[in-house]
Amino acid sequence: MAVKKSSLYSKLWDSCNTLRSKGGMDATQYKDYVLIVLFMKVITDKYYGKENSLIEVPNDANFNTMISLKGKKNIGEEFNTILAKIAEENDLQGIIDVVDFNDENKLGKGKDMVDALTGLIEIFQDKDLDFSNNRADDDDILGDAYEYLMKKFASEAGKSKGQFYTPSEVSRIMAKILNISSFKKNDTDKNVLIYDMTCGSGSLLLKAGAEVGKGKIARLYGQEKDANTTGLCVMNMFLHGNETARITNGNTLTNPQLLENGRLMTFDFCVANPPFSVKKWSTDLEETYDRFTGFGMPPEGCADYAFLLHMLKSMDPDHGRAAIILPHGVLFRGGQEELIRTNLIKKGYIEGIIGLPANLFYGTGIPACIIVLDKKDAPYRKNVFIIDASKNFVKDGNKNKLREQDIKKIIDIYTGRIEEDKYSKNIPIEDIEAEEYNLNIPRYVDASVEEMKPDLKAHLLGGIPVIDVNGFDNYWKVAPNLKNELFSNNSKKGYYNLNVDKDNISEIIKQSNEINDYFETVRTRIKSWEKDIEDKLLNLDNTIRVKELIETISDKLLEIFNDDILINKYDAYEYLMKYYEETFKDDLYMVTDNGWIPSLTFAKDKKGNIKKNEFDSELLPKDIVINKYFKNENNEINELNNKLNNLISDFDGIVEENTGDEQLFNDDEKVNEKALKDLKKEVEDKDIELINNLLNNLSEQKELKKKIKDKQELLNDKVIKKYNSLTEEESKNIIVYDKWFESIENKFNTCMSNLINNLANGITNLDDEYESTLTDLNNEIEEKEKELSSLLKDLVGDDDDLKAFSEFINQLGGDANE
């Protein structure tokens, strides 16, 4: 049985809450305990009892041993012993055995500690958490779960403690824009060396390693300052099948560990997300390793360029490429940093810069950028490619997040060096020189959105400005006749009149033949895409890599929407990727792990007994099966339910009308069959008919409920039999066409409805803005003044009396005109 992503995530996060309720741990501490137990669970499932496995799992030191310790007084001490044995067998001393499972300050004393660790083990004992069949080489559910936990830990750790994790969205961008997959060193050396000098928990390093193409071997290297985080990284490497990764502990700037013959090792690719603007970084610096020679010494109060220059020195001198995340300040700060920046640009090492949204990272809210370094083409560099992606994101709680479409667009634009207005531009070095080597992105790419200024003439004299209507130009390209139907020329040049009642705008757009023809074109494109990918989906088996599959089919979707007028291709991409994250990804893994035949899951009561009539299937929901095979039976049940609801509504309405003081029913009275029969004995003859109606209503409800129950049970029996008789071919077709394709089509139907609403709302807002002219307002004021004068005259008498009344008001500080 495949582990469903959402189920796994919630179960693992429950483990965090178990520990959080005991002792005095914050997120940076309890993550260590949770992830170590996850590590023990995974290595036991995947490697215990297997010969020549990646990890040696002793008979007396595995997750099963931990289970046997539940409820025992010495559970914490014994856990430490188990981890020490695992560490010794796999040369992981000082890495996975640094966390103390017998720490009373963090886990609580006595029974509290026993309960906390027992509860933690029980969560990982869940039968759904079976990792024996999960494939780590495909960035599968296990890797996703690990990243999910790291993200949750980072978000809860607070401003200064979230630096052990780089958001996966940014990691993916960095890994892709370096073109690691196309790298070829030579015909004999298949190794691709990748290095992260501040590797944290290893997510960025793993993303880069995953980009190494087929037939080549990723050799991963990293250094991390924090000892506990180093342990997380090592475990992450093992969990993803990178047991040969070399992860070291120590301060990269003052004590680099990856050395050869007293010099820094060099690598084919480098990636890093170092802590921003570290102060007093050079306090213990003894050896510079020529990192700063030819560039200048970074200032003591800010380590940003120290990290960048360490990375530069660690790049292969002939072909090294790298990407580093740094705060925007490195692009424009003066002093020593300006000198370093100038030397980097002059030597051609900066290939590109990508400006990211603010509040993206867990350790800081300030905006950051990705700087891409390249040595191979440095001597010939004539341009720096700059992207401003700072405006493209979505809110995610108290943080900002890059959407799938934002990630894809950055990668496509950067790798293709595509210039796009207000987004990206290739900047000649001489232009940067003219700006005195200041790389502040807005100097080169203006991503600001120009707000439409109100048209004073239209406000004074009426009419809708042509320039405002032309803001919907893409719609008019699709539907020029619709524009002529909605607008006509005003007597003033450069202005339109709205031809229709604005309450009818939406309906007119919906009925437009041009708009409907366009929508039909969109549906045809979707069908064409489905036809193009159906064989890939119908032939899914356990040899398919899900990550590669979704990349292939999403790229095809981008192609068919490449020239669409109204639907941006990256918006189309987002519709697909949202469905992928919600449902499609889980389904693909279920099929590749377990095949096409769907399994039913039955609900259970408190005693653990199966509820026969409460069931469903994750892979093939019963609603789809019912709609396809038992539509008539389901319609009958729906009709009966509608009748029942009408009866209930009628009953409640009559009761409500007759409830209150001196009414038939009291406010706090429960009106049911027994109460009505008792009341019938006491009331006057005039109320007997009403009570009889209510009793008849309840009787009909009872009959209907029985009918519904009987028909529902009969339908359930048919549905269960159908599930049991489904062939693989039948299941395939229902899942692909009736579930996946129909769901994606529905998302695009929503998109098309949104297009109509956006146009209708935009036109309505324009008409609202310019509907009332200054002349209209003045006329309205004059009319109101006349009405007020007439009312006052009626109130106080003739003109002399009105004059005297006005003077009296003035004496009181009022104003007769108001």
Side-chain angles (χ1 to χ4, degrees):
M1 178 70 184
V3 183
K4 191 174 185 298
K5 176 183 66 177
S6 56
S7 172
L8 174 63
Y9 289 176
S10 62
K11 289 176 188 293
L12 293 184
W13 194 241
D14 282 346
S15 67
C16 303
N17 292 329
T18 299
L19 281 179
R20 225 175 355 182
S21 66
K22 309 290 183 183
M25 286 185 288
D26 65 16
T28 57
Q29 294 170 323
Y30 65 70
K31 76 176 188 302
D32 300 329
Y33 292 92
V34 173
L35 292 173
I36 284 176
V37 176
L38 170 62
F39 177 73
M40 290 299 299
K41 169 64 174 169
V42 174
I43 64 172
T44 302
D45 284 354
K46 294 178 75 70
Y47 305 119
Y48 179 58
K50 295 181 181 178
E51 295 182 2
N52 303 316
S53 62
L54 297 174
I55 301 175
E56 186 67 33
V57 185
N59 290 329
D60 59 347
N62 53 61
F63 186 73
N64 298 326
T65 319
M66 290 177 140
I67 293 174
S68 69
L69 295 168
K70 289 192 309 179
K72 294 189 176 180
K73 291 181 179 180
N74 63 339
I75 185 171
E77 185 180 346
E78 289 296 321
F79 276 16
N80 285 342
T81 302
I82 290 170
L83 292 173
K85 286 185 179 181
I86 290 285
E88 184 179 356
E89 292 286 346
N90 296 281
D91 195 24
L92 294 174
Q93 293 97 332
I95 295 175
I96 68 165
D97 54 356
V98 295
V99 176
D100 185 3
F101 276 80
N102 203 36
D103 189 335
E104 294 181 342
N105 293 325
K106 294 177 181 176
L107 292 164
K109 296 181 180 181
K111 188 175 183 300
D112 282 344
M113 178 186 289
V114 174
D115 290 347
L117 294 179
T118 297
L120 178 57
I121 293 299
E122 286 177 344
I123 286 171
F124 283 91
Q125 265 188 280
D126 192 293
K127 62 181 178 60
D128 289 338
L129 299 180
D130 179 4
F131 300 108
S132 56
N133 295 318
N134 277 260
R135 293 167 290 157
D137 62 338
D138 196 24
D139 194 17
D140 67 353
I141 196 166
L142 173 58
D144 288 346
Y146 189 88
E147 284 207 354
Y148 170 84
L149 285 174
M150 295 307 301
K151 177 180 177 180
K152 291 287 282 185
F153 292 134
S155 65
E156 292 212 351
K159 183 175 180 181
S160 62
K161 299 177 181 177
Q163 295 171 346
F164 51 79
Y165 176 74
T166 301
S168 62
E169 300 85 10
V170 181
S171 297
R172 286 162 55 196
I173 291 171
M174 295 172 73
K176 287 286 187 183
I177 61 176
L178 289 176
N179 293 320
I180 298 173
S181 60
S182 61
F183 173 71
K184 185 178 181 181
K185 194 178 298 183
N186 54 55
D187 293 332
T188 58
D189 191 351
K190 305 298 183 183
N191 296 312
V192 180
L193 277 59
I194 306 175
Y195 170 54
D196 185 342
M197 61 185 169
T198 55
C199 60
S201 60
S203 60
L204 175 54
L205 187 56
L206 283 165
K207 285 289 191 299
E211 288 300 312
V212 171
K214 291 180 179 178
K216 289 177 279 189
I217 303 168
R219 299 295 184 192
L220 306 184
Y221 298 79
Q223 182 163 342
E224 169 55 39
K225 184 177 180 180
D226 182 82
N228 284 356
T229 306
T230 303
L232 293 181
C233 186
V234 171
M235 288 189 289
N236 205 2
M237 296 297 132
F238 271 87
L239 294 179
H240 284 81
N242 286 280
E243 75 285 353
T244 61
R246 184 177 170 189
I247 308 299
T248 61
N249 177 234
N251 187 323
T252 298
L253 296 181
T254 60
N255 188 23
Q257 299 291 299
L258 297 169
L259 305 171
E260 283 182 340
N261 302 319
R263 297 182 177 180
L264 295 181
M265 286 180 63
T266 58
F267 305 88
D268 303 313
F269 296 94
C270 299
V271 291
N273 176 22
F276 291 173
S277 307
V278 175
K279 300 182 186 304
K280 298 182 179 179
W281 63 273
S282 60
T283 300
D284 299 319
L285 184 66
E286 295 181 2
E287 170 65 63
T288 65
Y289 298 95
D290 290 327
R291 289 175 286 187
F292 315 128
T293 304
F295 299 97
M297 190 72 177
E300 183 183 1
C302 184
D304 294 335
Y305 272 108
F307 281 114
L308 187 148
L309 292 175
H310 175 91
M311 174 179 272
L312 188 66
K313 190 69 177 178
S314 302
M315 294 163 58
D316 184 279
D318 297 321
H319 59 255
R321 286 177 58 72
I324 183 171
I325 301 169
L326 290 172
H328 267 239
V330 300
L331 302 176
F332 53 79
R333 289 194 297 245
Q336 194 67 9
E337 291 186 319
E338 181 180 356
L339 173 63
I340 297 171
R341 184 172 61 246
T342 299
N343 287 325
L344 284 166
I345 296 168
K346 285 182 175 179
K347 293 178 188 227
Y349 288 129
I350 298 180
E351 175 189 281
I353 300 167
I354 301 169
L356 299 171
N359 203 26
L360 205 61
F361 298 90
Y362 293 99
T364 178
I366 66 173
C369 61
I370 299 172
I371 299 179
V372 184
L373 304 173
D374 171 71
K375 283 191 174 178
K376 182 180 179 181
D377 297 322
Y380 323 105
R381 193 159 329 277
K382 299 184 185 308
N383 305 283
V384 174
F385 191 71
I386 296 180
I387 291 176
D388 188 344
S390 61
K391 305 293 189 295
N392 304 88
F393 62 89
V394 66
K395 294 296 293 182
D396 183 25
N398 62 350
K399 305 297 292 181
N400 294 330
K401 179 183 178 182
L402 294 171
R403 298 164 295 182
E404 289 296 325
Q405 67 184 89
D406 303 324
I407 297 166
K408 183 66 174 172
K409 182 174 182 179
I410 290 172
I411 293 168
D412 287 351
I413 294 289
Y414 190 88
T415 54
R417 300 297 191 276
I418 301 167
E419 293 192 326
E420 181 178 306
D421 186 41
K422 292 187 173 296
Y423 189 79
S424 60
K425 193 173 183 181
N426 220 12
I427 311 299
I429 297 293
E430 51 264 32
D431 288 1
I432 298 173
E433 183 181 358
E435 293 286 345
E436 298 180 338
Y437 298 97
N438 186 316
L439 288 173
N440 196 18
I441 293 174
R443 292 194 177 207
Y444 307 99
V445 179
D446 179 13
S448 61
V449 179
E450 188 174 342
E451 293 186 11
M452 193 70 71
K453 296 179 180 178
D455 189 305
L456 293 178
K457 189 174 181 181
H459 280 300
L460 288 169
L461 304 174
I464 300 174
V466 167
I467 191 171
D468 286 7
V469 175
N470 288 346
F472 302 101
D473 191 50
N474 283 346
Y475 284 95
W476 312 140
K477 289 177 183 176
V478 166
N481 292 325
L482 175 62
K483 179 184 177 182
N484 294 332
E485 183 179 357
L486 293 170
F487 299 100
S488 60
N489 289 324
N490 186 280
S491 57
K492 302 185 299 297
K493 187 177 181 181
Y495 296 86
Y496 285 127
N497 291 325
L498 183 63
N499 289 339
V500 301
D501 188 312
K502 59 186 172 187
D503 291 336
N504 298 329
I505 292 173
S506 182
E507 196 57 38
I508 290 170
I509 296 171
K510 287 178 184 176
Q511 294 176 2
S512 164
N513 290 332
E514 294 169 318
I515 291 293
N516 285 308
D517 287 346
Y518 165 74
F519 286 165
E520 194 55 42
T521 301
V522 172
R523 294 187 186 98
T524 301
R525 289 186 172 194
I526 297 298
K527 289 291 184 184
S528 171
W529 171 73
E530 291 172 348
K531 190 71 178 172
D532 201 19
I533 67 169
E534 63 183 356
D535 284 345
K536 292 183 183 300
L537 296 179
L538 291 168
N539 291 308
L540 270 178
D541 57 31
N542 60 9
T543 66
I544 300 297
R545 291 174 65 95
V546 170
K547 188 170 71 171
E548 291 180 1
L549 175 66
I550 190 61
E551 284 184 2
T552 299
I553 65 178
S554 61
D555 282 344
K556 289 183 179 295
L557 187 68
L558 280 167
E559 287 175 17
I560 71 163
F561 278 97
N562 188 52
D563 59 351
D564 195 273
I565 296 174
L566 288 182
I567 301 177
N568 181 281
K569 65 179 181 179
Y570 291 109
D571 288 334
Y573 177 85
E574 183 72 9
Y575 292 125
L576 172 62
M577 296 310 291
K578 273 189 176 179
Y579 181 62
Y580 176 69
E581 286 302 319
E582 293 165 358
T583 303
F584 198 20
K585 182 178 183 179
D586 281 335
D587 287 357
L588 292 173
Y589 276 110
M590 278 190 272
V591 170
T592 55
D593 283 349
N594 301 311
W596 286 96
I597 302 298
S599 59
L600 284 175
T601 302
F602 288 84
K604 294 181 180 179
D605 61 23
K606 293 180 180 178
K607 294 181 179 180
N609 299 317
I610 289 176
K611 295 182 178 180
K612 182 184 175 184
N613 291 307
E614 294 183 30
F615 63 90
D616 212 336
S617 169
E618 291 285 359
L619 182 59
L620 182 54
K622 67 178 181 182
D623 287 347
I624 296 175
V625 173
I626 290 171
N627 190 55
K628 189 169 185 67
Y629 297 103
F630 308 106
K631 204 167 189 175
N632 290 337
E633 292 93 326
N634 196 50
N635 286 341
E636 284 182 25
I637 294 172
N638 287 337
E639 286 177 13
L640 291 175
N641 273 315
N642 287 336
K643 288 180 180 179
L644 177 61
N645 289 333
N646 289 335
L647 283 172
I648 293 171
S649 179
D650 290 343
F651 183 90
D652 291 342
I654 294 171
V655 170
E656 185 178 353
E657 287 176 11
N658 293 274
T659 298
D661 293 339
E662 299 182 4
Q663 294 287 331
L664 199 58
F665 307 111
N666 299 321
D667 287 327
D668 56 352
E669 185 177 1
K670 187 175 182 180
V671 181
N672 53 28
E673 184 178 9
K674 182 180 182 306
L676 287 170
K677 286 181 177 178
D678 290 342
L679 186 63
K680 187 176 178 181
K681 300 172 185 177
E682 303 172 2
V683 298
E684 298 176 9
D685 291 345
K686 65 182 179 66
D687 295 319
I688 295 294
E689 184 178 355
L690 185 145
I691 292 176
N692 283 336
N693 288 339
L694 289 175
L695 286 169
N696 290 336
N697 183 298
L698 288 176
S699 178
E700 288 183 54
Q701 285 188 42
K702 191 174 182 179
E703 289 179 15
L704 274 174
K705 285 176 182 177
K706 186 177 185 310
K707 278 186 183 179
I708 292 168
K709 182 184 176 185
D710 292 343
K711 286 184 176 291
Q712 187 65 62
E713 288 181 353
L714 186 61
L715 175 58
N716 288 342
D717 288 341
K718 289 182 178 180
V719 172
I720 292 170
K721 286 178 183 176
K722 186 62 191 177
Y723 271 102
N724 292 333
S725 68
L726 283 173
T727 64
E728 181 174 304
E729 197 64 27
E730 200 173 5
S731 294
K732 263 187 201 181
N733 284 291
I734 302 172
I735 292 166
V736 172
Y737 297 106
D738 296 277
K739 183 182 184 183
W740 294 344
F741 285 173
E742 187 169 324
S743 295
I744 293 167
E745 288 168 15
N746 287 338
K747 284 194 175 291
F748 278 93
N749 287 335
T750 301
C751 165
M752 289 183 274
S753 295
N754 290 340
L755 287 173
I756 291 174
N757 292 335
N758 291 342
L759 179 58
N761 291 337
I763 294 172
T764 301
N765 291 338
L766 281 180
D767 186 63
D768 288 343
E769 183 173 356
Y770 296 110
E771 186 176 27
S772 298
T773 67
L774 184 59
T775 302
D776 293 334
L777 291 173
N778 283 333
N779 290 338
E780 187 177 348
I781 289 170
E782 287 180 8
E783 287 298 320
K784 295 295 182 185
E785 286 178 341
K786 288 178 182 178
E787 290 178 19
L788 179 59
S789 179
S790 176
L791 288 170
L792 288 173
K793 195 169 184 178
D794 291 341
L795 180 64
V796 299
D798 57 23
D799 289 342
D800 289 338
D801 291 334
L802 180 59
K803 184 178 179 181
F805 179 75
S806 297
E807 290 175 353
F808 173 70
I809 292 296
N810 283 328
Q811 288 175 0
L812 295 176
D815 186 343
N817 290 326
E818 295 179 1

